[in-house]
Amino acid sequence: MNRRTFITATAGVITAAVLSTPAQAVGPNWELLGSKRVNWLIDRDTVHVGPGAGTFRKLRLRVRGNGLFMHHLKVTFRNGGVQHIPVRFHFAQGSMTRVIDLRGNNRKNRKITMTYSTPWNGNGVTKVKVWGKH
């Protein structure tokens, strides 16, 4: 294994450990920003956040139905800023991320783009919900 592969794999494992948590209630003060019914295999979907939704400091994703391997999140803010969040984690059915803090002061979200892949295992469809906290 070369050094670059080792560093990438190590970063993915650390990120997975930080982001994963067992399924639980999202909790008070969390607002549903949107949800997507994801397609089979590798795909990309975008959740558009409405203009009146306000400013969010934190995000959380919940996976229902079949499992999902989340590769990457890209959060685009209304001021044009972008935050890339490498996830590289397999979500089991019903699991949820830990709280993902958003950088900067102007956190008015415009859209959240998810790059993921789903298994072709006959366990049904997968639905991802994106939650935000002010």
Side-chain angles (χ1 to χ4, degrees):
M1 180 183 315
N2 67 30
R3 184 176 181 181
R4 186 178 202 170
T5 304
F6 175 76
I7 291 171
T8 303
T10 303
V13 169
I14 291 169
T15 302
V18 170
L19 293 178
S20 66
T21 187
Q24 58 186 6
V26 174
N29 303 321
W30 285 89
E31 185 177 329
L32 180 63
L33 302 180
S35 63
K36 286 290 179 178
R37 184 177 171 168
V38 300
N39 297 322
W40 300 107
L41 305 176
I42 298 175
D43 202 357
R44 177 179 306 190
D45 277 314
T46 301
V47 173
H48 295 275
V49 180
T55 303
F56 294 95
R57 296 178 297 121
K58 301 173 184 300
L59 293 179
R60 205 165 198 189
L61 281 72
R62 172 171 254 175
V63 175
R64 295 281 191 188
N66 202 353
L68 176 84
F69 187 88
M70 183 73 65
H71 299 277
H72 185 265
L73 291 175
K74 176 182 169 187
V75 181
T76 305
F77 301 100
R78 294 209 180 278
N79 67 356
V82 174
Q83 181 174 347
H84 295 276
I85 304 166
V87 180
R88 296 183 192 98
F89 183 71
H90 179 265
F91 293 92
Q93 296 179 16
S95 64
M96 175 187 312
T97 64
R98 290 187 186 253
V99 175
I100 300 169
D101 290 321
L102 299 176
R103 295 183 310 220
N105 294 323
N106 189 357
R107 299 181 190 97
K108 289 191 177 184
N109 302 77
R110 189 174 128 221
K111 63 183 177 179
I112 300 153
T113 304
M114 305 173 285
T115 305
Y116 57 83
S117 56
T118 57
W120 187 273
N121 59 10
N123 289 343
V125 298
T126 305
K127 189 168 188 177
V128 178
K129 291 187 176 185
V130 181
W131 298 84
K133 188 172 187 178
H134 297 280

